[in-house]
Amino acid sequence: MSTEATWDLYANYSPRSLCVFPLNSSSSSAQTPTSLAAGASSTVAVVYGTDRGSLHYRCYRTNSPTSPATRTGFLSLGRMSGGQQQSANSVLSSSSGAPTTGTGSNSTRIAAPLGMTGNPGGGGATSSGSSGNQRGSAGLPAATALPRMLYPVDLGSTSLPGPVISCIWINGDGVYLHNNAGLSLPPLFLVLVDDPRGSSAAQPGAYGAYWVSLQHGAFHVLNTNNRIPAFALPRLSAAVAAHGRVYATAGRSVFTLRVPTSALASLTETPDRRGSNSNSNNRGNANSKKKTIPQLQFGPRVWPGPVRCGPDALAVVAEGRVVVGCVGHAFYAVAGEEIHRDEDDDDNADDIDDEQYNTRALFAPTSSKNAIGGSVASDGGSSSVGGESSKNDCVKLVHWTQSSQVHPAVALDLGDASLEPDWSSVFLANGRECAVVDLYYGPPSQPRLSGSNKPRNGIVTTASPILAAAASWPFVAILMSDGLISVRSPSCVAVSLRTVEIGTRPNDFFTLRPVVAPGTSTIYKKSFWGEPNESSAISSTWMLPWIVGISYAGEAKVLQCRPDTAQDLADRLMRHAIDAFGGNGFPRTDLAKAVQASFTATSYVGPEATPQARILLKEYLEAVLGLCDWESGASSGWPTHDTSAIGTGSGSQSNTLAAAGGEGGGFQGKWMAEHGGANADKRRKHLFSSVLTASQPAALLTSTALLCLVASQLSPPAAALASRAAKACASEMGVVLSSHVDESAVLVGQQVTDQLLRESSQGFSLVRTPKTPTIPRVHRPLQVSTDYIEASIWLLRSCGQHESAMEVAAERLQQNPTSDSSKGSASGTGVRGGQWSRIKYESYTATHLSELWCCGQEDARELVLRSAATHLLLESNPPLGLSVFTALHPQNESQWRNASPRDDPFRSTDYVYRVVSLLKSILPKVPYDKNSNPVHSETYGKKNSSLPLESGRALAVSFLESAMGISTCRPVNNLHNEAAIPYQIPPSDQEDSHEERVANFHDELALLLLEGVISERSDEIAPSGEEDTELGRIYRAKLRHLLRWPLSKVRPDRILDSLPPSFLPEKALVLGRLGKHEEALKILYRDLKSLDLALEYCDDRHNRQQTFFEKQRARTMGTSGMLQDGVLSVSSPLAANDENNAYLPLIRVALESEDTEKGCAAAIQLLALRRTAIDRAAALRLLPPEIPVSAVARPFLIPALVDSESLVRRLTVVSALLRARYLRLKEQLTSAQLKAQANLQVVPQIQSLNLGEPLHSTKPFRARTSGGGSSGSSSNMPEVWIVKHFFPRHLVIQARVTNQAGLSEKTGRTLTDIAFVVAESSEEAIQPLLQVPIAVLPSSMTGSTWCVLSAAPTRMEGSSAQLTCELRYTTVGQGGDIVALTGQSSLPDMMGKSHVEELQDLEVHASNFS
């Protein structure tokens, strides 16, 4: 906070109250011309009352309140240049025409009010009039004349019967001040005066209350003698205007006042205007209703005692439904319920209601209800502390430990926009104590009032008594009696963010008021009773960070709340750390280097460390790190400058508490991005969520380390807080390596971690270098808690010390640490197991290693590969250890389809080589139990057969299968032409290519599987095919599946050389990959004597070919879309020749076998089984001539003929359906074209002439033939209606033709080439230019043909011209309608007959073209 300007109030007497509001059209339209409204919008008005009962009105010019600097306050300061900030700092300084005193900064300038001349302090003379008002405009030049509303106005002394204690501007905060005519009323104030009458049982209020209006350049006290009943008010103790209502309290009662708008309007209007407006109001507003906000009703004597008085003694929260007040030494909250008035009452009834309501509010019947619907006894109700209220209770929010009736009670609504719905926050102060309390009032259906269990961070005691406070969320400015203003955050009210000296002597400045500017940036938080709407902006206006303070000497100072800079945060952290730990209780030097603290803060010598200082540091760090966990969900941060780092450490990144520079790079940019989103709830949750983020790694790390350290030294220790803070830091920073963080910050984190581990276990240390300073031990035993060890681990991870973190986890968290894990410990003595089970420890380690592996950093992957924790995890829990390396692999078909080239597991082949080598070297400690997991034979050939991870070979196989996608259903897309080359074989001459390296992994997997089969073969003599063990059969099944997989890139020549002679099925699959299908089938059919295996081989090959051809046909021909919505689906046989057919090689192999009879039977059986997929003619040619037809007829020929006939019938039906669909679509297209051609503005041929808009058009008339009837016309003559469209130099004739040909015979015919022709014109000035015929006109349909004629009206010899017209068309014969629609002309007899029909002449006059 800084002092931006000093205002001279020109006060003759000592001020006692202050009211600040901006001038705009709504607040002063009754007295200001519209042309001057713009000038008023840049002016701040001040109304203050004095100890002599006088009121004074002053205006001070601002430079540009609509500029970004003033509209968004500190939200724009972080993005300004130096010149812009200097301009913003002088916004509230004096303008031209207002004299100033002094030079230098704004704080030393004294700005005079607008319209004042002369010496300060002498311009406020009291006039001799009855009102005691005078405008101080003497001596002002005419050139600088101001609007009347900007001149000073004074209400003389003794005009009010005592000192003015409080002055409340009623027009602000949504209070509706309009008369029935909709005109704005002048500014109205509620003034509380300490008159000599005193309070009584009937009038328990401490002060007299008066309505005061400002109009026509003078103050008017409306209820001096109670001449108008509507202006009568009871005595009040405190009042506040908020949320569209005026709240007041007196004694033990609280109520809302009704503003006398009707009486004020009648007083404002002059007699002549009043008479003229009455009739207009009765006429114009007969059906209109006055815009009113429902009043609230509270029970009588709801407070447990008399409410304390004062200008800031009342606060209104929960969208205006809950009132907070101070009774004795405690603050209470009470809620009210709405009461609705009859909106159709006239002015007189309204005045009576106002009188009855305001004067009798204290004496409501005892049966009236309070806010929650219950009855309140006449003696008041009891109160509940901190819990939920019953129907007759108010809620006690806080009780002060110190007694202070001398200093005022302060209650302020903080306006926290980050709260959860139905929650409110309020700042409370009394004497030297203050607190921030959250209270809940909801849900809207059945609202209940309850307060939080305790204030945020407890009750705070200040150094001096608190005189006043002003809330400008997320800041609170506190004025103390020693003349200091302390700016604090509601999340950490015990810590002063900045202190400004505002007065030169104690108790000089006595009040603070924020400057609220309507029309500025507004945060629309969720309305209490529904969704966000425009009306919710009334109660959530964003307050500018400007605060005005006033002194008894008549001086006002304007202060601005500024966001924290990097240096502010660094120095504050340093000082609080010294206060909490002492000069040597923490790594002071390393912390100063890490956060770039100033020399002044680093050399600060604080008092002796106390528990209270440590608690203060804890609360501050919780707020800075965003770790405050309140029930209301409030955010804990505050704004900071979005500037570049003020310094750099030894690292390459910024290590200051400021944001790393750049647009939106720091905290300020983050807030603006969140605020600009569409989701209001998400915006609210991110409003100032924290001060430090991952963009400041050094500051974030050191602050978290200090919070863990101070949590361990509290009494009792806060172990859970330390663990939560460290985990949040690691989560925010992500995977961090030691080279990415400043060295000083790493040293701070290491020393704090070492201290935590030393305290929890004797002799355990992570410090490697003896020269590193350590933190002195606290001479008390620290409770051994897993939370501290977890905090140490998370801190080490944030420091980039991942190996040390895994070492601590292995030694301190496992229940029974293994001997291998303790070999590398820093200290071999005094170490015992922790409380984590084995599975929990292994899961944590796997997650940690997986995060390191998946971050994509080379150093992190190197660490995982060489870490002892990786080896131990793979040995003790192979599946979990394997998941570290397969976490980034797609796990299902959907993920494979959505994967990008960057997600390819083989993208970095170097690491794949190293992972495979690592996995092959692992020997799991748990051996494979053959009897524990029996594998059934039917699962061998399935690709999802699980392989027991009993060896390093099994681990490597599982990893390669996951990387290739063979075990995770990788889709087969973009296959190559398998008709000629079933598998893509990478070229062997490109050893260094990426494809070659990927093929090496495929070969490696095949060799590993082959090795597994060979190693698991039984030594005992067994029948053929049964020599494999259970595990060997799994390896064999996986090997076969790999060789069949379409995406496999195994190089067959290499695998073929490695296969033992007994691996005949595998050899057949390898030969198939080489394209030697007949040799493969010979092995399967002759050597293995298995027709089933051979047929399975052919089926697999046929399926791949069929998939390839289907995709190719769908891509090239596009026929798949036409068949989708058909009723039949035809699967035609694969059109393949002898070379590419999958089954013909097996027929040849069977026929060439030694047993001719058995081979022929097998061939015939194959033809019968796969007759739909075999080229039948080629298959019959392969059969020997000696085979009788009877042997082939029944199993093959007859079923093949039946299938062929069935296929022909199905294709015929499909063809007819497709033709019918085509004709239907063609007819729809023709109809659409005819409709489009009927519009003059759509026909392309006419549009190309650029005729413009027609002058006029004739009505349609029916055209007849030249004979005057239909006797001479053809029976196919259509009905014709003609419309003439006239343009300045053109005539467009539209002929609407309806096809009626053949309707009488019920054999509708189609007409084609229909044209309206002007054959002859009697005037040469009108000649045909263009014809637009109708191509096809189906029966009973209507279309338009056009004829365009050029016209020169001035060249016409006569006054009119005769046009000879014809209609030409062609009639399509029966059956030719389909030919006409499809455009086919292969049948000459269906082309139809041409007709020419002469129509009656058309007459055109020259006057038609004008």
Side-chain angles (χ1 to χ4, degrees):
M1 175 175 284
S2 61
T3 303
E4 299 299 331
T6 302
W7 292 344
D8 189 346
L9 300 178
Y10 278 67
N12 291 331
Y13 310 109
S14 178
R16 287 294 181 269
S17 61
L18 176 66
C19 175
V20 181
F21 59 94
L23 286 183
N24 59 2
S25 58
S26 63
S27 63
S28 57
S29 60
Q31 58 179 351
T32 305
T34 307
S35 60
L36 297 177
S41 63
S42 60
T43 305
V44 175
V46 174
V47 175
Y48 65 92
T50 68
D51 57 351
R52 297 293 184 91
S54 62
L55 282 179
H56 305 273
Y57 171 81
R58 305 287 186 261
C59 295
Y60 297 88
R61 178 81 71 179
T62 61
N63 284 349
S64 178
T66 58
S67 65
T70 58
R71 184 170 61 251
T72 57
F74 53 74
L75 297 183
S76 300
L77 288 178
R79 302 181 183 274
M80 294 182 189
S81 62
Q84 290 174 329
Q85 288 197 22
Q86 183 177 2
S87 176
N89 294 340
S90 60
V91 163
L92 292 174
S93 62
S94 61
S95 61
S96 60
T100 60
T101 302
T103 59
S105 63
N106 295 332
S107 61
T108 61
R109 299 175 184 174
I110 301 179
L114 296 177
M116 278 287 190
T117 59
N119 297 324
T126 305
S127 67
S128 59
S130 60
S131 63
N133 291 270
Q134 178 181 348
R135 289 186 288 131
S137 58
L140 190 68
T144 58
L146 297 174
R148 182 171 57 184
M149 55 180 274
L150 301 182
Y151 283 101
V153 179
D154 301 299
L155 180 65
S157 61
T158 68
S159 297
L160 295 172
V164 178
I165 302 301
S166 179
C167 181
I168 303 167
W169 180 45
I170 304 300
N171 303 64
D173 216 346
V175 178
Y176 186 77
L177 286 184
H178 292 77
N179 61 3
N180 290 340
L183 299 176
S184 298
L185 297 180
L188 181 66
F189 303 91
L190 176 61
V191 178
L192 301 185
V193 179
D194 188 8
D195 55 11
R197 290 190 300 172
S199 59
S200 62
Q203 295 284 344
Y207 308 120
Y210 300 89
W211 295 116
V212 179
S213 67
L214 177 61
Q215 52 185 325
H216 306 303
F219 281 112
H220 298 273
V221 182
L222 304 181
N223 54 334
T224 305
N225 299 319
N226 291 335
R227 292 171 295 180
I228 303 177
F231 295 143
L233 288 172
R235 294 183 65 84
L236 305 176
S237 297
V240 61
H243 303 278
R245 303 180 183 93
V246 180
Y247 300 80
T249 182
R252 299 171 61 181
S253 300
V254 59
F255 44 88
T256 57
L257 299 176
R258 286 181 179 169
V259 180
T261 56
S262 300
L264 182 61
S266 62
L267 183 65
T268 303
E269 296 173 353
T270 58
D272 54 343
R273 290 183 56 191
R274 187 181 303 119
S276 62
N277 289 339
S278 60
N279 296 329
S280 62
N281 292 340
N282 294 333
R283 293 191 304 266
N285 297 317
N287 298 324
S288 62
K289 294 183 178 181
K290 292 179 292 184
K291 178 181 177 182
T292 60
I293 298 178
Q295 299 294 333
L296 288 183
Q297 179 175 338
F298 301 85
R301 303 181 181 179
V302 293
W303 305 111
V307 178
R308 293 176 58 179
C309 54
D312 298 325
L314 282 185
V316 181
V317 295
E319 300 295 333
R321 288 170 172 81
V322 176
V323 178
V324 178
C326 184
V327 178
H329 308 307
F331 273 93
Y332 295 84
V334 63
E337 64 176 354
E338 290 185 352
I339 55 175
H340 297 273
R341 303 169 56 189
D342 188 3
E343 296 177 344
D344 297 327
D345 292 343
D346 55 10
D347 293 345
N348 295 331
D350 187 29
D351 293 341
I352 296 175
D353 290 341
D354 290 336
E355 176 190 3
Q356 293 176 351
Y357 187 88
N358 291 340
T359 58
R360 302 180 186 180
L362 300 177
F363 310 103
T366 56
S367 61
S368 58
K369 299 179 181 179
N370 65 354
I372 50 180
S375 300
V376 181
S378 60
D379 58 348
S382 61
S383 61
S384 58
V385 182
E388 184 177 327
S389 65
S390 64
K391 290 186 177 181
N392 294 333
D393 293 344
C394 59
V395 175
K396 180 185 288 187
L397 300 179
V398 64
H399 187 276
W400 308 114
T401 58
Q402 300 179 6
S403 174
S404 177
Q405 295 285 350
V406 177
H407 299 94
V410 179
L412 296 177
D413 180 15
L414 294 178
D416 194 340
S418 66
L419 296 174
E420 295 286 348
D422 305 337
W423 280 90
S424 303
S425 59
V426 59
F427 172 81
L428 307 175
N430 180 42
R432 296 175 60 243
E433 295 177 311
C434 62
V436 175
V437 180
D438 298 325
L439 57 90
Y440 175 81
Y441 184 65
S445 58
Q446 295 180 348
R448 304 287 292 183
L449 178 61
S450 61
S452 57
N453 294 330
K454 60 180 181 179
R456 297 186 189 178
N457 300 324
I459 297 177
V460 177
T461 302
T462 59
S464 301
I466 298 174
L467 300 181
S472 181
W473 185 82
F475 293 125
V476 175
I478 302 174
L479 172 62
M480 292 174 286
S481 62
D482 55 3
L484 299 179
I485 293 183
S486 176
V487 180
R488 310 191 179 203
S489 170
S491 60
C492 187
V493 73
V495 176
S496 178
L497 303 182
R498 191 181 296 270
T499 302
V500 177
E501 184 178 5
I502 191 174
T504 58
R505 57 182 182 270
N507 296 316
D508 186 14
F509 282 78
F510 62 91
T511 189
L512 296 178
R513 288 292 180 266
V515 179
V516 183
T520 58
S521 177
T522 302
I523 297 178
Y524 287 84
K525 59 183 179 181
K526 194 168 185 179
S527 178
F528 181 75
W529 297 109
E531 295 300 321
N533 49 52
E534 201 67 29
S535 62
S536 64
I538 293 176
S539 59
S540 58
T541 303
W542 181 262
M543 293 186 179
L544 291 178
W546 285 332
I547 295 175
V548 179
I550 188 173
S551 69
Y552 292 118
E555 183 182 49
K557 289 191 176 182
V558 182
L559 303 100
Q560 185 179 32
C561 297
R562 294 182 175 274
D564 273 344
T565 63
Q567 202 64 59
D568 295 335
L569 293 169
D571 293 349
R572 188 182 305 123
L573 177 63
M574 199 71 194
R575 289 191 177 94
H576 283 292
I578 294 174
D579 290 340
F581 303 112
N584 299 319
F586 69 104
R588 182 172 183 169
T589 304
D590 294 329
L591 177 63
K593 292 181 180 178
V595 300
Q596 294 291 299
S598 65
F599 176 78
T600 303
T602 306
S603 58
Y604 165 70
V605 179
E608 184 178 356
T610 61
Q612 184 62 31
R614 287 191 284 271
I615 294 176
L616 193 63
L617 177 61
K618 177 189 81 73
E619 295 175 355
Y620 175 72
L621 291 176
E622 281 183 309
V624 168
L625 297 173
L627 297 175
C628 297
D629 188 14
W630 293 305
E631 187 179 1
S632 61
S635 297
S636 60
W638 55 84
T640 60
H641 273 295
D642 187 14
T643 55
S644 302
I646 60 173
T648 56
S650 58
S652 59
Q653 296 188 2
S654 170
N655 62 346
T656 65
L657 289 170
E663 182 73 17
F667 170 76
Q668 187 68 24
K670 175 182 177 182
W671 184 91
M672 292 297 291
E674 294 292 346
H675 179 60
N679 194 321
D681 290 337
K682 290 184 178 180
R683 285 204 310 269
R684 173 180 52 78
K685 298 302 291 184
H686 289 84
L687 290 177
F688 306 119
S689 57
S690 64
V691 175
L692 299 179
T693 61
S695 58
Q696 310 99 33
L700 180 61
L701 174 58
T702 53
S703 299
T704 304
L706 289 182
L707 180 57
C708 294
L709 180 61
V710 75
S712 67
Q713 298 183 8
L714 295 177
S715 181
L721 174 61
S723 177
R724 183 164 63 94
K727 187 174 182 179
C729 176
S731 177
E732 176 73 17
M733 297 181 67
V735 177
V736 178
L737 300 179
S738 58
S739 59
H740 297 167
V741 187
D742 182 68
E743 182 180 357
S744 300
V746 173
L747 290 177
V748 172
Q750 286 180 335
Q751 292 182 59
V752 172
T753 302
D754 186 68
Q755 173 66 15
L756 294 178
L757 295 176
R758 282 178 180 273
E759 292 290 344
S760 60
S761 176
Q762 295 289 342
F764 190 90
S765 176
L766 292 175
V767 179
R768 306 299 187 196
T769 305
K771 296 181 180 179
T772 303
T774 58
I775 302 173
R777 289 192 57 187
V778 179
H779 297 285
R780 58 180 178 82
L782 181 65
Q783 296 181 0
V784 177
S785 174
T786 305
D787 292 331
Y788 286 116
I789 303 176
E790 292 181 16
S792 301
I793 294 173
W794 290 112
L795 276 180
L796 288 173
R797 291 179 59 172
S798 300
C799 295
Q801 306 296 320
H802 297 279
E803 290 182 290
S804 299
M806 289 183 282
E807 177 186 336
V808 172
E811 293 296 329
R812 305 298 306 279
L813 292 180
Q814 286 191 94
Q815 289 180 349
N816 297 310
T818 61
S819 58
D820 294 338
S821 62
S822 61
K823 291 180 181 180
S825 62
S827 176
T829 61
V831 178
R832 57 174 179 167
Q835 301 177 2
W836 278 8
S837 62
R838 178 180 176 183
I839 185 62
K840 183 176 181 180
Y841 163 74
E842 290 176 347
S843 299
Y844 165 80
T845 305
T847 303
H848 187 185
L849 293 172
S850 179
E851 292 176 359
L852 289 173
W853 183 260
C854 297
C855 71
Q857 302 181 38
E858 295 184 1
D859 295 341
R861 292 193 171 186
E862 290 287 344
L863 188 147
V864 173
L865 291 174
R866 70 171 185 266
S867 175
T870 306
H871 293 259
L872 294 175
L873 183 62
L874 287 170
E875 292 175 357
S876 60
N877 195 333
L880 204 57
L882 183 62
S883 66
V884 172
F885 303 101
T886 60
L888 288 178
H889 297 175
Q891 302 299 320
N892 50 53
E893 182 179 357
S894 177
Q895 292 183 9
W896 276 110
R897 292 188 183 276
N898 297 329
S900 62
R902 297 179 54 187
D903 301 327
D904 186 5
F906 290 124
R907 187 166 177 260
S908 179
T909 55
D910 295 337
Y911 286 110
V912 179
Y913 278 117
R914 299 186 60 181
V915 172
V916 172
S917 301
L918 171 64
L919 296 177
K920 289 166 65 175
S921 65
I922 298 298
L923 181 61
K925 295 181 180 180
V926 181
Y928 170 66
D929 188 0
K930 299 180 180 180
N931 299 323
S932 63
N933 187 23
V935 182
H936 302 285
S937 59
E938 58 267 18
T939 63
Y940 289 162
K942 296 183 180 180
K943 57 187 176 183
N944 57 353
S945 302
S946 59
L947 179 64
L949 303 180
E950 44 79 35
S951 63
R953 178 177 55 250
L955 288 170
V957 167
S958 299
F959 172 77
L960 289 175
E961 284 184 336
S962 176
M964 296 175 188
I966 190 174
S967 62
T968 52
C969 305
R970 185 174 185 174
V972 181
N973 294 329
N974 301 327
L975 294 181
H976 297 274
N977 190 348
E978 297 179 4
I981 305 177
Y983 303 94
Q984 182 189 19
I985 303 175
S988 59
D989 56 345
Q990 300 179 3
E991 295 294 337
D992 296 333
S993 66
H994 178 75
E995 291 294 330
E996 182 70 16
R997 292 194 293 270
V998 173
N1000 290 338
F1001 293 121
H1002 286 250
D1003 293 343
E1004 179 70 17
L1005 177 58
L1007 294 176
L1008 287 173
L1009 293 172
L1010 179 60
E1011 180 184 343
V1013 176
I1014 296 174
S1015 63
E1016 294 296 330
R1017 300 191 69 170
S1018 176
D1019 297 333
E1020 300 178 359
I1021 299 176
S1024 177
E1026 298 182 3
E1027 63 276 5
D1028 293 340
T1029 63
E1030 296 289 339
L1031 189 57
R1033 294 175 185 177
I1034 298 178
Y1035 277 111
R1036 186 182 292 272
K1038 288 184 174 292
L1039 177 60
R1040 293 179 181 178
H1041 179 60
L1042 175 64
L1043 296 177
R1044 291 193 188 100
W1045 192 40
L1047 295 181
S1048 176
K1049 298 181 180 180
V1050 174
R1051 283 167 287 202
D1053 50 350
R1054 297 186 180 183
I1055 303 301
L1056 193 61
D1057 296 338
S1058 303
L1059 287 175
S1062 59
F1063 283 62
L1064 295 179
E1066 290 76 12
K1067 184 177 181 181
L1069 294 175
V1070 174
L1071 290 174
R1073 297 188 66 85
L1074 290 172
K1076 301 177 181 180
H1077 301 290
E1078 289 196 13
E1079 295 183 18
L1081 291 172
K1082 288 179 182 180
I1083 294 176
L1084 297 175
Y1085 180 76
R1086 294 181 184 179
D1087 298 344
L1088 296 177
K1089 302 184 184 304
S1090 175
L1091 180 62
D1092 294 337
L1093 291 177
L1095 190 59
E1096 181 182 357
Y1097 176 89
C1098 295
D1099 289 340
D1100 183 62
R1101 182 187 174 200
H1102 173 75
N1103 292 334
R1104 292 197 305 271
Q1105 291 177 339
Q1106 190 76 8
T1107 302
F1108 170 75
F1109 284 120
E1110 288 292 339
K1111 290 183 178 180
Q1112 187 179 31
R1113 183 173 60 182
R1115 240 183 352 256
T1116 57
M1117 300 180 61
T1119 57
S1120 59
M1122 296 181 63
L1123 297 176
Q1124 284 181 357
D1125 53 355
V1127 296
L1128 295 177
S1129 176
V1130 180
S1131 58
S1132 59
L1134 183 65
N1137 52 26
D1138 296 351
E1139 296 180 359
N1140 294 331
N1141 192 275
Y1143 297 97
L1144 293 182
L1146 180 57
I1147 296 177
R1148 283 194 292 266
V1149 170
L1151 294 175
E1152 293 174 0
S1153 61
E1154 298 178 355
D1155 191 347
T1156 306
E1157 182 178 356
K1158 184 178 179 181
C1160 291
I1164 294 174
Q1165 181 183 0
L1166 179 61
L1167 291 175
L1169 293 175
R1170 301 292 186 270
R1171 60 178 177 269
T1172 59
I1174 295 179
D1175 188 350
R1176 295 157 188 169
L1180 291 176
R1181 286 194 296 268
L1182 292 177
L1183 295 178
E1186 59 271 13
I1187 296 180
V1189 177
S1190 59
V1192 186
R1194 183 176 294 274
F1196 175 65
L1197 292 180
I1198 294 177
L1201 291 175
V1202 172
D1203 292 343
S1204 298
E1205 291 183 3
S1206 176
L1207 179 62
V1208 170
R1209 289 194 295 270
R1210 284 183 290 170
L1211 290 177
T1212 302
V1213 173
V1214 171
S1215 176
L1217 291 175
L1218 291 177
R1219 186 175 182 82
R1221 180 184 177 186
Y1222 172 74
L1223 292 177
R1224 184 173 68 254
L1225 295 176
K1226 187 69 175 178
E1227 184 177 357
Q1228 294 176 359
L1229 177 61
T1230 302
S1231 177
Q1233 291 175 346
L1234 291 175
K1235 291 181 180 179
Q1237 190 171 339
N1239 189 351
L1240 175 64
Q1241 306 297 333
V1242 177
V1243 180
Q1245 296 89 331
I1246 300 178
Q1247 288 297 311
S1248 63
L1249 299 177
N1250 297 324
L1251 301 181
E1253 295 293 332
L1255 298 176
H1256 59 89
S1257 302
T1258 63
K1259 294 182 178 179
F1261 61 91
R1262 187 172 183 178
R1264 302 184 181 277
T1265 57
S1266 59
S1270 60
S1271 58
S1273 61
S1274 172
S1275 60
N1276 297 321
M1277 172 65 181
E1279 185 181 38
V1280 181
W1281 291 77
I1282 294 178
V1283 178
K1284 292 180 288 183
H1285 304 279
F1286 292 94
F1287 294 84
R1289 301 190 62 83
H1290 292 84
L1291 170 63
V1292 179
I1293 301 176
Q1294 177 185 6
R1296 298 177 183 173
V1297 181
T1298 301
N1299 183 7
Q1300 299 177 347
L1303 292 181
S1304 60
E1305 304 174 1
K1306 297 183 180 180
T1307 57
R1309 298 183 179 182
T1310 301
L1311 304 182
T1312 62
D1313 300 330
I1314 306 172
F1316 181 86
V1317 180
V1318 176
E1320 185 179 357
S1321 174
S1322 62
E1323 287 284 350
E1324 294 182 358
I1326 301 178
Q1327 294 296 328
L1329 179 63
L1330 176 66
Q1331 294 178 2
V1332 182
I1334 301 175
V1336 179
L1337 185 63
S1339 177
S1340 303
M1341 297 190 69
T1342 302
S1344 295
T1345 176
W1346 303 82
C1347 181
V1348 182
L1349 298 93
S1350 61
T1354 58
R1355 294 172 51 194
M1356 293 178 61
E1357 297 178 358
S1359 60
S1360 64
Q1362 299 294 326
L1363 304 178
T1364 303
C1365 305
E1366 297 177 350
L1367 183 69
R1368 301 176 184 178
Y1369 60 93
T1370 300
T1371 303
V1372 179
Q1374 294 184 3
D1377 51 348
I1378 298 178
V1379 177
L1381 287 174
T1382 58
Q1384 299 175 358
S1385 59
S1386 58
L1387 302 176
D1389 56 341
M1390 292 185 179
M1391 293 309 297
K1393 181 180 179 182
S1394 299
H1395 301 270
V1396 177
E1397 302 288 349
E1398 294 184 2
L1399 303 178
Q1400 63 183 13
D1401 295 345
L1402 298 180
E1403 185 176 9
V1404 178
H1405 297 274
S1407 60
N1408 295 137
F1409 295 94
S1410 60

